[in-house]
């Protein structure tokens, strides 16, 4: 149990509506248990924001290197365009802040997620390294380097959806074979999207973390595999660092768009960032708060809150799987080792949210004509939870500019439609249809 908060939950039996209060760790244990009787588990979190006791604003000065090369490479990708920064005045009024802005990663190179931004740069660097050639930061040079690789060279990675699809997409663009490893609970729609890129998909009967381990072992058994993972472990750190470096482009875009909106150079004051293994969150720490401090707040599923637990403990802490959350891209039980030093001192606070909280955030985004997947809407769910927390709400003041990182559009369209339709069919009291 966390020693920094007292979280209450309610569990209801399917037939008898027996209710009791449980700690977060007890809920996690229940969710990981096979029941012999049918139950419906309703989880509603009231947990406080964890304000990081090791936060150090100087961590926000560690900016990503090679920014010019990264930007030049992305600009050279055919069809690469900035994603929009959307101003939501209604939410700013609701949360009593100056601005609420959404960096909406609705589409990148035809993919409904931000992941291609990091994956493409990492593939570029990894292909150059494997080829042994000096490769300029231009996609045409990447194609030439890939053509010079030994026959049979293939890209590979483990994924819970978006990263694997991005790697498969890059493999297709480069004319390379690709093998993607997925956990057994990954939704069929996400698997089909990876297959549509021409990749071979191998299902691992275990959690995402089990899948990462399996992909690493397979890469050792098959020297022709070029593993491009977005998480790291001892002895495998360079390529995941390149993935995180690539995300700098997203923040560069956001700053330019904010300054255009304000009519002058401007800063973000607080950012809500969905966190899985922490690669993107560590990029946020390194790329926000250029001339002033920006409070980076991570948001995770309550059953896979490895970043929050690690921050609370002050050391890397894992959350055993399986992780049963609809936020597929965030169902990670271990923090990336290369991300941890940035997270440990650079994250201002951390939140864990339930599936129902993120469903409500998806509906709120939909009301603003923003299509958001489950993992992307975690940012808005986190802002809502932050605003209701006595300590966290003090970070939200009328002059502050809030950045929400909506990291994906609807990656599973049928699941998205079910979530959005659930309130349209049965509006809740106090809401408008």
């Amino acid at each position: 149990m966390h020693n920094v908060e007292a979280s209450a939950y309610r569990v209801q039996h399917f037939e008898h509506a027996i209710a009791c209060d449980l700690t977060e760790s007890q809920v996690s244990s229940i969710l990981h248990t096979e029941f012999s009787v049918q139950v419906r588990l309703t989880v509603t979190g009231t947990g406080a924001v964890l304000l990081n006791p090791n936060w150090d604003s100087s961590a926000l000065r560690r900016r990503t290197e090679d920014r010019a090369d990264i930007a030049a490479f992305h600009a050279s990708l055919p069809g690469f365009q900035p994603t929009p920064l959307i101003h939501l005045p209604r939410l700013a009024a609701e949360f009593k802040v100056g601005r609420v802005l959404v960096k909406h990663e609705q589409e990148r190179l035809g993919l409904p997620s931000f992941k291609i931004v990091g994956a493409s740069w990492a593939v570029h660097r990894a292909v150059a390294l494997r080829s042994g050639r000096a490769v300029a930061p231009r996609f045409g040079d990447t194609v030439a380097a890939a053509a010079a690789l030994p026959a049979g060279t293939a890209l590979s990675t483990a994924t819970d959806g978006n990263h694997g699809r991005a790697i498969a997409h890059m493999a297709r663009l480069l004319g390379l074979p690709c093998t993607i490893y997925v956990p057994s609970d990954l939704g069929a729609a996400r698997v089909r999207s990876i297959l549509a890129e021409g990749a071979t998909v191998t299902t691992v009967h275990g959690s995402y973390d089990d899948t990462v381990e399996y992909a690493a072992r397979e890469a050792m058994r098959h020297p022709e595999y070029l593993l491009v993972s977005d998480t790291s472990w001892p002895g495998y750190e360079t390529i995941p660092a390149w993935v995180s470096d690539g995300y700098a482009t997203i923040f560069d875009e956001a700053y330019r768009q904010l300054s255009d909106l304000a009519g002058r150079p401007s800063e973000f004051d607080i950012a809500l960032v969905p966190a899985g293994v922490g690669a993107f969150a560590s990029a946020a720490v390194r790329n926000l708060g250029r001339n002033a401090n920006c409070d980076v707040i991570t948001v995770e599923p309550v059953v896979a809150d490895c970043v929050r637990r690690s921050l609370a403990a002050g050391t890397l802490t894992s959350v055993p799987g399986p992780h049963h959350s609809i936020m597929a891209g965030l169902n990670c039980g271990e923090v990336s080792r290369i991300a941890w030093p940035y997270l440990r001192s650079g994250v201002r606070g951390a939140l864990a949210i339930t599936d129902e909280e993120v469903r409500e955030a998806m509906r709120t985004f939909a009301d603003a004509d923003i299509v958001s997947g489950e993992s992307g809407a975690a940012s808005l769910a986190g802002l809502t939870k932050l605003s209701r927390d006595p300590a966290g709400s003090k970070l939200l003041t009328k002059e502050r500019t809030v950045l929400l990182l909506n990291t994906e559009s609807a990656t599973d369209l049928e699941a998205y439609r079910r979530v959005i339709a659930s309130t349209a069919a049965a509006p809740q009291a106090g809401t408008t249809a």
Side-chain angles (χ1 to χ4, degrees), residues 187 189-190 326 359 362-363 374 412-425:
R190 293 182 173 92
I326 63 172
R359 289 187 186 101
M362 292 168 68
R363 296 171 193 132
E374 297 87 348
D412 185 334
L413 192 54
E414 290 304 314
Y416 175 80
R417 287 170 175 162
R418 286 194 297 271
V419 170
I420 301 306
S422 61
T423 42

Side-chain angles (χ1 to χ4, degrees), residues 86-95 100 102 104 355-374 376-385 387-388 404 406 416 419-424 428 430-433:
I86 301 174
H87 185 205
L88 297 179
R90 183 179 66 80
L91 288 186
E94 177 181 337
F95 292 112
V100 172
V102 181
H104 185 26
D355 284 354
E356 189 49 46
E357 287 169 328
V358 86
R359 289 187 186 101
E360 188 57 39
M362 292 168 68
R363 296 171 193 132
T364 301
F365 267 148
D367 288 342
D369 296 323
I370 293 175
V371 177
S372 174
E374 297 87 348
S379 58
L380 177 55
L383 177 59
T384 302
K385 196 159 193 173
S387 71
R388 297 169 179 170
L404 301 180
N406 178 32
Y416 175 80
V419 170
I420 301 306
S422 61
T423 42
Q428 300 296 310
T431 66
T432 58

Side-chain angles (χ1 to χ4, degrees), residues 63-102:
R63 297 189 54 197
T64 300
E65 298 177 1
D66 301 325
R67 305 179 75 87
D69 284 350
I70 295 168
F73 173 75
H74 285 142
S76 75
L77 288 166
F80 190 91
Q81 295 291 331
T83 54
L85 185 71
I86 301 174
H87 185 205
L88 297 179
R90 183 179 66 80
L91 288 186
E94 177 181 337
F95 292 112
K96 298 180 175 59
V97 295
R99 291 191 185 97
V100 172
L101 299 164
V102 181

Side-chain angles (χ1 to χ4, degrees), residues 227-249:
L227 179 66
V228 186
S229 176
D230 59 351
T231 192
S232 64
W233 50 89
Y236 182 84
E237 297 177 342
T238 300
I239 290 177
W242 289 336
V243 173
S244 184
D245 288 346
Y247 295 140
T249 292

Side-chain angles (χ1 to χ4, degrees), residues 291-355:
N291 301 307
N293 293 334
C294 177
D295 293 324
V296 175
I297 309 293
T298 58
V299 188
E300 302 166 278
V302 73
V303 295
D305 58 338
C306 55
V307 172
R308 189 175 62 151
R309 294 193 191 197
S310 296
L311 292 174
T315 189
L316 285 171
T317 303
S318 62
V319 179
H323 308 108
H324 297 292
S325 163
I326 63 172
M327 293 166 269
L330 310 182
N331 282 336
C332 308
E334 296 183 12
V335 176
S336 173
R337 288 180 177 272
I338 60 166
W340 174 238
Y342 300 106
L343 302 175
R344 185 180 185 276
S345 57
V347 167
R348 183 70 177 91
L351 287 161
I353 57 173
T354 66
D355 284 354

Side-chain angles (χ1 to χ4, degrees), residues 263-276:
R264 57 182 172 79
S266 298
E267 302 288 337
F268 296 105
D269 299 303
I270 184 168
L272 282 295
V273 187

Side-chain angles (χ1 to χ4, degrees), residues 18-199:
I18 299 171
C20 58
D21 290 332
L22 298 175
T23 65
E24 236 170 62
S25 60
Q26 288 170 322
V27 169
S28 181
S29 297
I30 290 173
L31 289 173
H32 299 154
T33 302
E34 296 293 334
F35 284 96
S36 59
V37 295
Q38 184 183 17
V39 297
R40 178 177 64 199
L41 194 62
T42 302
V43 186
T44 56
T46 59
V49 60
L50 166 67
L51 295 179
N52 182 11
N54 296 303
W55 178 65
D56 177 3
S57 63
S58 66
L60 292 164
R61 303 292 184 261
R62 306 173 186 172
R63 297 189 54 197
T64 300
E65 298 177 1
D66 301 325
R67 305 179 75 87
D69 284 350
I70 295 168
F73 173 75
H74 285 142
S76 75
L77 288 166
F80 190 91
Q81 295 291 331
T83 54
L85 185 71
I86 301 174
H87 185 205
L88 297 179
R90 183 179 66 80
L91 288 186
E94 177 181 337
F95 292 112
K96 298 180 175 59
V97 295
R99 291 191 185 97
V100 172
L101 299 164
V102 181
K103 185 60 172 165
H104 185 26
E105 294 295 306
Q106 60 183 356
E107 188 271 325
R108 293 275 189 180
L109 296 179
L111 305 184
S113 161
F114 77 110
K115 287 286 190 175
I116 190 68
V117 183
S120 60
W121 177 246
V123 167
H124 164 77
R125 295 295 305 271
V127 165
L129 182 65
R130 178 68 66 95
S131 71
R133 299 170 53 157
V135 179
R138 294 186 296 269
F139 181 65
D141 288 45
T142 317
V143 173
L149 292 172
T153 300
L155 301 185
S156 71
T157 196
T159 189
D160 44 21
N162 291 327
H163 176 70
R165 185 176 180 181
I167 296 298
H169 187 78
M170 288 301 297
R172 181 169 65 81
L173 293 179
L174 295 173
L176 295 173
C178 183
T179 296
I180 305 296
Y181 301 92
V182 303
S184 54
D185 61 354
L186 187 65
R190 293 182 173 92
V191 173
R192 287 194 298 269
S193 69
I194 297 170
L195 290 170
E197 297 290 345

